[in-house]
């Protein structure tokens, strides 16, 4: 599970999209809900499940402000991160649950301590959170692990993305995927940035993907039609559920339809249509639906034909209609 040969990554660049269902913090600190989320995401057909690994003392201070206060608990942001922590044994259990369910296991680390914990737990690759793109020490450590790196770009300028990609290349990361991401929850259509899928591919010559927060399946389907190698969506059991990510998540049922749609699009993109060959194969049908030149009415022998004497009617077994003039 800890090598680049993990089957969930083997399709990168071959036309098969890696689909990641992100639990993030939807579990709200409940280990049972985290396990249930793995089962549901696997049953929906995703290739991998992703969490976030927070160690409050390693990534935050008691003075960290709330971006948006959503919790009814009278707690600080630091206390919230503390409540989101799982022990190493619990993380190992989550990884084992993913193995049993047949999906790859990912979690974004938000500190070096979290990265080291995940190295011990075992992950299929690294998902770099948008806020960590400028954390070059972390990127270097990820590259040195020999695992694939998925680089989210939600908060980054092109200069910062360029620097991160250059560093990962210099450190010989096993593989690099540049993920378009918009840090807006939920993301409106105008900010999804689908144009960046082909742009990043041309700029870096690397696999590309979309980390979507729209709360709908549409951007991911469009990204796959544009050739995305990876799509990642937040997942919730219900739109009535509690949590900061619910508005930017798809439901489990929507995830299943999304996976179905992605696999459908892959088959379509993998089978280009030759219009000439298709027309030739349909020749019997073409004779039924195309038209031939005919007399508009009974004509006496010796009539000098005028345009008003002729028409085009089915079947297409005589003089082709395009020769009528």
């Amino acid at each position: 599970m800890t090598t680049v040969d993990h089957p969930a990554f083997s399709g990168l660049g071959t036309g098969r999209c890696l689909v990641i269902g992100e639990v993030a913090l939807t579990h709200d600190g409940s280990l049972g809900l985290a396990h249930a989320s793995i089962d549901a995401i696997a049953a929906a057909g995703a290739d991998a499940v992703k969490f976030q690994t927070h160690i409050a003392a390693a990534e935050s201070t008691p003075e960290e402000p709330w971006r948006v206060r959503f919790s009814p608990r009278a707690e600080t942001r630091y206390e919230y991160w503390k409540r989101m922590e799982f022990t190493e044994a619990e993380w190992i259990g989550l990884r084992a649950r993913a193995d049993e369910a047949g999906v790859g296991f990912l979690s974004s680390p938000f500190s070096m301590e979290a990265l080291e914990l995940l190295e011990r737990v075992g992950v299929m690759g690294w998902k770099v959170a948008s806020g960590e793109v400028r954390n070059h020490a972390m990127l270097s450590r990820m590259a040195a692990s020999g695992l694939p790196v998925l680089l989210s770009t939600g908060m980054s300028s092109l200069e910062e993305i360029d620097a991160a990609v250059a560093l990962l290349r210099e450190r010989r990361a096993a593989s690099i995927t540049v993920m378009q991401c918009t840090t807006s929850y939920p993301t409106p259509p105008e900010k999804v940035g689908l144009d960046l899928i082909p742009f990043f591919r041309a700029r870096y010559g690397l696999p590309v993907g979309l980390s979507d927060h729209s709360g709908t399946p549409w951007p991911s389907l469009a990204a796959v039609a544009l050739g995305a190698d990876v799509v990642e969506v937040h997942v919730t059991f219900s739109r009535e559920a509690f949590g900061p990510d619910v508005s930017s998540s798809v439901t489990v049922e929507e995830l299943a339809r999304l996976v179905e749609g992605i696999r459908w699009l892959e088959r379509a993109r993998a089978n280009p249509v030759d219009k000439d060959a298709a027309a030739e194969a349909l020749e019997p049908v073409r004779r039924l639906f195309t038209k031939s030149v005919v007399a508009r009415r009974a004509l006496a022998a010796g009539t000098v034909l005028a345009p008003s004497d002729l028409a085009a009617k089915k079947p297409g077994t005589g003089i082709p209609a395009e020769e009528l003039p």
Side-chain angles (χ1 to χ4, degrees), residues 35-203:
H35 277 264
S37 297
I38 293 173
D39 292 344
I41 288 170
D47 298 298
V49 60
K50 191 187 87 68
F51 290 87
Q52 296 178 6
T53 300
H54 295 276
I55 301 175
E59 74 173 79
S60 181
T61 66
E63 288 75 34
E64 181 187 358
W66 287 93
R67 180 186 181 192
V68 176
R69 181 178 285 278
F70 61 86
S71 176
R73 292 173 181 260
E75 61 185 354
T76 65
R77 184 69 161 164
Y78 180 91
E79 290 168 334
Y80 172 73
W81 295 132
K82 191 73 177 172
R83 186 161 61 82
M84 293 301 105
E85 293 179 9
F86 292 131
T87 67
E88 184 165 334
E90 289 169 338
W91 279 116
I92 290 171
L94 289 168
R95 151 71 195 273
R97 187 65 165 253
D99 288 352
E100 293 167 5
V103 289
F105 181 75
L106 290 160
S107 189
S108 293
F110 287 80
S111 64
M112 291 298 283
E113 288 85 343
L115 187 150
E116 291 164 357
L117 184 154
L118 290 171
E119 282 187 319
R120 296 191 297 272
V121 169
V123 290
M124 61 181 271
W126 299 112
K127 172 67 193 302
V128 182
S130 295
E132 304 296 330
V133 171
R134 297 168 64 189
N135 188 344
H136 287 190
M138 180 178 286
L139 295 183
S140 296
R141 180 67 176 271
M142 289 176 171
S145 72
L147 295 174
V149 177
L150 304 174
L151 185 72
S152 200
T153 62
M155 300 181 187
S156 304
S157 67
L158 274 177
E159 181 180 2
E160 292 165 346
I161 301 168
D162 287 348
V165 169
L167 183 147
L168 289 168
R169 277 178 157 150
E170 180 184 333
R171 298 292 193 274
R172 300 183 180 279
S175 72
I176 308 164
T177 300
V178 180
M179 305 280 288
Q180 162 53 11
C181 175
T182 300
T183 307
S184 177
Y185 305 85
T187 305
E190 299 80 5
K191 294 185 178 181
V192 170
L194 288 173
D195 58 301
L196 292 170
I197 301 297
F199 173 81
F200 284 151
R201 187 184 299 282
R203 187 177 184 88

Side-chain angles (χ1 to χ4, degrees), residues 137-283:
M138 180 178 286
L139 295 183
S140 296
R141 180 67 176 271
M142 289 176 171
S145 72
L147 295 174
V149 177
L150 304 174
L151 185 72
S152 200
T153 62
M155 300 181 187
S156 304
S157 67
L158 274 177
E159 181 180 2
E160 292 165 346
I161 301 168
D162 287 348
V165 169
L167 183 147
L168 289 168
R169 277 178 157 150
E170 180 184 333
R171 298 292 193 274
R172 300 183 180 279
S175 72
I176 308 164
T177 300
V178 180
M179 305 280 288
Q180 162 53 11
C181 175
T182 300
T183 307
S184 177
Y185 305 85
T187 305
E190 299 80 5
K191 294 185 178 181
V192 170
L194 288 173
D195 58 301
L196 292 170
I197 301 297
F199 173 81
F200 284 151
R201 187 184 299 282
R203 187 177 184 88
Y204 302 115
L206 294 169
V208 294
L210 178 70
S211 180
D212 179 47
H213 301 123
S214 70
T216 76
W218 318 132
S220 293
L221 289 170
V224 171
L226 289 170
D229 301 285
V230 181
V231 295
E232 175 188 63
V233 290
H234 284 254
V235 183
T236 181
F237 281 103
S238 167
R239 298 204 185 282
E240 286 71 46
F242 168 79
D245 297 320
V246 171
S247 66
S248 56
S249 301
V250 298
T251 64
V252 173
E253 292 77 13
E254 287 171 333
L255 175 62
R257 294 302 303 276
L258 172 59
V259 173
E260 180 184 3
I262 287 173
R263 302 306 173 219
W264 195 98
L265 286 170
E266 287 170 349
R267 289 175 59 192
R269 294 187 73 242
N271 291 277
V273 173
D274 182 325
K275 292 296 289 183
D276 289 335
E280 183 178 352
L282 288 171
E283 188 56 37

